């Protein structure tokens, strides 16, 4: 796992891999899984590769330039959640 001192998986994804890359790979694996399920009906359906709404919102926010407005040391995911809270609808 990720030790707390290292920031956790979202810190790693945001700062080292990039949230757009994580989203792209999750979408790829979700599509591959759906294709395999369609070909083989004996497999159990899984949805753990489906990207979360929050991840998609973070990628949209990053593309819209929100990262420049977020203070240093504040994760983009926290900024998006705070923005959603202020707007009246936090992501699930």
């Amino acid at each position: 796992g990720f030790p707390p001192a290292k920031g956790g998986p979202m810190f790693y994804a945001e700062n080292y891999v990039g949230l757009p890359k994580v989203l792209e790979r999750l979408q790829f694996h979700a599509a591959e899984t759906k294709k395999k399920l369609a070909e083989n009906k004996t497999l159990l359906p899984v949805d753990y590769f489906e990207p979360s709404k929050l991840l998609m919102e973070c990628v949209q926010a990053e593309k819209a330039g929100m990262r420049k407005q977020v203070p240093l040391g504040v994760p983009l995911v926290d900024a998006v959640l705070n923005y959603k809270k202020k707007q009246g609808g936090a992501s699930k």
Side-chain angles (χ1 to χ4, degrees):
F2 282 83
K6 298 286 185 181
M10 284 302 291
F11 179 86
Y12 183 81
E14 184 177 336
N15 294 289
Y16 295 102
V17 178
L19 295 177
K21 182 68 174 178
V22 171
L23 177 62
E24 183 266 322
R25 296 311 300 163
L26 282 172
Q27 289 171 331
F28 170 81
H29 289 297
E32 288 294 308
T33 301
K34 286 179 185 174
K35 188 167 72 172
K36 287 180 184 178
L37 287 171
E39 294 169 356
N40 187 347
K41 299 293 183 190
T42 62
L43 296 174
L44 294 174
V46 294
D47 64 354
Y48 48 77
F49 288 119
E50 291 294 326
S52 70
K53 184 178 176 185
L54 178 59
L55 175 60
M56 292 188 284
E57 290 170 352
C58 287
V59 170
Q60 287 176 329
E62 190 173 321
K63 288 180 180 177
M66 187 176 186
R67 166 52 58 208
K68 295 174 188 158
Q69 300 168 11
V70 177
L72 279 176
V74 175
L76 183 61
V77 69
D78 287 347
V80 170
L81 284 172
N82 288 336
Y83 176 78
K84 295 293 284 180
K85 199 179 292 184
K86 288 177 185 174
Q87 297 298 323
S91 295
K92 294 178 183 165

